[in-house]
Amino acid sequence: MSPHRNGNLSVKLLQEFVLEGFAGGPQTQALLFALFLALYVVAVLGNLTMIVVITLDVRLHSPMYFFLKNLSFLDLCYSSVIAPKALATFLSSSKLITFTSCATQFFFFSLLVTTEGFLLAVMAYDRFVAICSPLRYPITMRPSVCACLVLGCYCGGCLNSILQTSFTFSLPFCSSSHIDHFFCDVPPLLKLACDDTMINELVLFAICGLIIVGTTLVVLVSYGYITVTILRMRSGGGRHKLFSTCGSHMTAVSLFYGTVFVMYAQPGAVESMEQGKVVSIFYTLVIPMLNPLIYSLRNKDVKEALRRLGQKHTAT
């Protein structure tokens, strides 16, 4: 890459980075490898199981499970964008990642995480329509509308990812080659830039804040109406079933938005790298691992579909 001139100082721009990951000797790195591997394997198996079960069981071919299948796909993909490289660096003496690979990892991670944020809001809207307007639900959430909503989530995620990637990787990285993280993320990358990053930090805070606040409002308004509707129901069994279904989604929403807010949507978040690493483990591996468990263990339809699938497998 061509040299960059900063005042009277000419330096060569970086062509590769070093992912520092977590501090510690070989034993610590081996323990981290085992932890990351266990979380990743459970996340992959859990999300693949959800995708397969929802696809094969015709009784789950409804808008709610269509969105849930897409959620599992997103969890599977964005944990796979991060985990393999992190696992490789734990047991390798070479922790290098090229500039292009870093930008690619950053782009897809930003795309998938942002898309998941939008999708969680869409899932809340789906539950709002199903519970508050059940007679209009088949028309309002017909397959073409559901497909358009999911496509819109991906478009929103792609737009944010393009903006974040272009703003971040247009900076000259020449102060250091060491990324104080286990993957390429905005906060540690901004610390490596030679130029003033105030604009980048404002863009990060504004875009992430707007997305989080906007989608959170959709979730809160939807569940506000849902709660009122459920409390007006006379059937105790019906209230329990609906609260159980909605509780799974609210648990997933709280975990996801809580960790993302701590990392990206608060002033000064880019200053706390050690905290950021721990929080990042949560939304890159723990949440993708927990989501299938949350939705399967608390969902009677999914448990019955798993049982039917198991019976078919043993019968053959």
Side-chain angles (χ1 to χ4, degrees):
M1 300 177 69
S2 60
H4 169 73
R5 185 167 296 277
N6 187 2
N8 295 322
L9 179 66
S10 178
V11 293
K12 187 176 182 180
L13 297 186
L14 299 177
Q15 299 183 46
E16 58 187 14
F17 298 104
V18 177
L19 293 171
E20 290 191 348
F22 294 88
Q27 288 185 338
T28 302
Q29 299 301 310
L31 287 174
L32 287 169
F33 175 86
L35 173 63
F36 271 59
L37 181 61
L39 292 173
Y40 180 56
V41 168
V42 175
V44 169
L45 293 177
N47 286 292
L48 278 177
T49 300
M50 291 295 291
I51 292 171
V52 170
V53 168
I54 294 172
T55 301
L56 295 181
D57 197 311
V58 294
R59 301 182 191 183
L60 300 183
H61 290 181
S62 65
M64 182 177 77
Y65 293 107
F66 172 73
F67 295 132
L68 181 55
K69 183 167 73 169
N70 278 276
L71 179 67
S72 294
F73 175 75
L74 288 170
D75 284 337
L76 175 65
C77 288
Y78 84 71
S79 60
S80 297
V81 168
I82 303 301
K85 182 60 180 178
L87 289 169
T89 59
F90 285 136
L91 297 183
S92 173
S93 58
S94 175
K95 302 179 183 293
L96 297 176
I97 183 171
T98 65
F99 184 92
T100 302
S101 297
C102 187
T104 302
Q105 184 188 60
F106 177 86
F107 174 84
F108 283 106
F109 177 71
S110 178
L111 164 65
L112 295 165
V113 171
T114 307
T115 302
E116 177 153 332
F118 286 126
L119 183 63
L120 288 170
V122 167
M123 292 173 73
Y125 173 72
D126 170 71
R127 291 297 84 207
F128 159 72
V129 177
I131 295 171
C132 299
S133 302
L135 297 178
R136 298 174 56 187
Y137 183 69
I139 298 175
T140 304
M141 301 302 292
R142 58 189 181 275
S144 60
V145 173
C146 294
C148 288
L149 287 172
V150 171
L151 180 61
C153 292
Y154 277 96
C155 289
C158 188
L159 178 60
N160 175 60
S161 184
I162 291 171
L163 289 172
Q164 296 286 1
T165 305
S166 59
F167 267 92
T168 302
F169 286 89
S170 62
L171 290 168
F173 299 106
C174 49
S175 60
S176 172
S177 63
H178 291 258
I179 298 176
D180 189 15
H181 217 304
F182 60 90
F183 70 98
C184 295
D185 201 7
V186 174
L189 283 168
L190 293 183
K191 288 183 171 292
L192 305 185
C194 300
D195 289 349
D196 182 23
T197 61
M198 179 62 69
I199 298 298
N200 295 75
E201 292 183 34
L202 288 175
V203 169
L204 171 67
F205 177 71
I207 294 179
C208 292
L210 181 63
I211 292 172
I212 292 173
V213 170
T215 52
T216 301
L217 282 175
V218 173
V219 172
L220 291 178
V221 171
S222 297
Y223 275 98
Y225 279 105
I226 288 170
T227 302
V228 172
T229 302
I230 293 177
L231 291 177
R232 288 176 178 173
M233 296 176 63
R234 295 182 180 180
S235 171
R239 284 199 300 266
H240 176 75
K241 181 179 179 180
L242 290 175
F243 270 127
S244 178
T245 301
C246 295
S248 299
H249 183 248
M250 282 304 298
T251 302
V253 167
S254 300
L255 288 171
F256 180 82
Y257 283 123
T259 53
V260 171
F261 178 83
V262 169
M263 191 64 191
Y264 301 109
Q266 58 171 328
V270 296
E271 301 298 326
S272 50
M273 287 298 100
E274 292 305 315
Q275 177 197 33
K277 292 178 189 179
V278 177
V279 174
S280 296
I281 295 175
F282 236 84
Y283 66 80
T284 57
L285 288 170
V286 176
I287 291 177
M289 177 200 70
L290 288 178
N291 277 346
L293 299 177
I294 291 170
Y295 282 102
S296 62
L297 294 178
R298 299 190 61 179
N299 190 302
K300 183 179 178 181
D301 293 336
V302 173
K303 287 190 287 187
E304 289 181 352
L306 284 168
R307 179 178 55 80
R308 287 192 295 269
L309 189 63
Q311 289 176 345
K312 288 182 180 179
H313 179 72
T314 53
T316 56

